[in-house]
Amino acid sequence: MRELAILTFVTLNGVMQAVRLPDEDMSGGFAHGGWAAPYWDDVMTQVGRTAMAEPYDMLLGRKTFEMFAANQEDSPNDGHVYTVSSTLSESIWENATILSGNPVEEVARLKEMDGPLLQIHGSWQLIQPLIGAGLIDEFRLFIFPLILGSGKRLFEGVEGADRLKLVRSEPTGNGVVMHIYRKE
């Protein structure tokens, strides 16, 4: 059985919408796209050294998958890429699989398979039901020192309570702090 981790960039108040590009996700009238850009280089150095250093398979929602596909010709990962989508039928990458069933059931099935860590990047809409179903084993949060009044939040609408244990914490030189939490 393999584990599932999310790698997410969030503001102090939990916003994870449109991290890198101004027009990445303007849904809901979001006007703060690209909020992480001033911090990007230091953070990506830390991400590569810590949260992406070990082999992993990537799990993406459709919108994040399409954004990755539009911005790079090659797969974003040396491992396999799984994409949960009810509308996509084929991938541009050889190492990708489209999962078209119920997201919670599909991810639970993937976790039961042998293989490396599954890691979700972005994919707000996919993360929400997985948090609710208790399928996420590790939260790799990169918390940026800013507050945005609106936007999609990491724990938006999440009910119940999960106890998490902080297993690693490390700041960057520009004020972003990586926190890695595991389910207890």
Side-chain angles (χ1 to χ4, degrees), residues 21-144:
L21 304 169
D23 60 349
E24 184 176 317
D25 178 358
M26 297 167 49
S27 64
F30 189 70
H32 306 291
W35 53 265
Y39 307 91
W40 200 254
D41 291 340
D42 281 358
V43 170
M44 290 312 293
T45 298
Q46 184 184 50
V47 167
R49 183 176 40 77
T50 58
M52 294 173 63
E54 299 294 323
Y56 64 94
D57 286 345
M58 189 177 286
L59 177 62
L60 303 172
R62 179 193 53 85
K63 290 179 183 176
T64 304
F65 178 82
E66 288 177 336
M67 184 184 72
F68 276 40
N71 291 308
Q72 57 194 62
E73 294 178 18
D74 297 326
S75 171
N77 179 12
D78 291 336
H80 201 83
V81 179
Y82 296 94
T83 304
V84 178
S85 174
S86 60
T87 58
L88 291 176
S89 59
E90 60 183 58
S91 170
I92 65 165
W93 299 309
E94 291 180 19
N95 68 332
T97 301
I98 309 294
L99 307 171
S100 59
N102 175 290
V104 170
E105 292 171 6
E106 292 281 3
V107 172
R109 184 182 59 78
L110 281 177
K111 285 186 67 172
E112 290 180 9
M113 297 169 57
D114 288 333
L117 173 75
L118 287 167
Q119 187 165 246
I120 300 175
H121 294 211
S123 304
W124 176 85
Q125 192 170 349
L126 174 60
I127 289 174
Q128 300 307 304
L130 300 180
I131 292 172
L135 290 174
I136 298 174
D137 302 296
E138 188 170 274
F139 293 83
R140 298 172 174 195
L141 307 179
F142 291 78
I143 302 172
F144 288 69

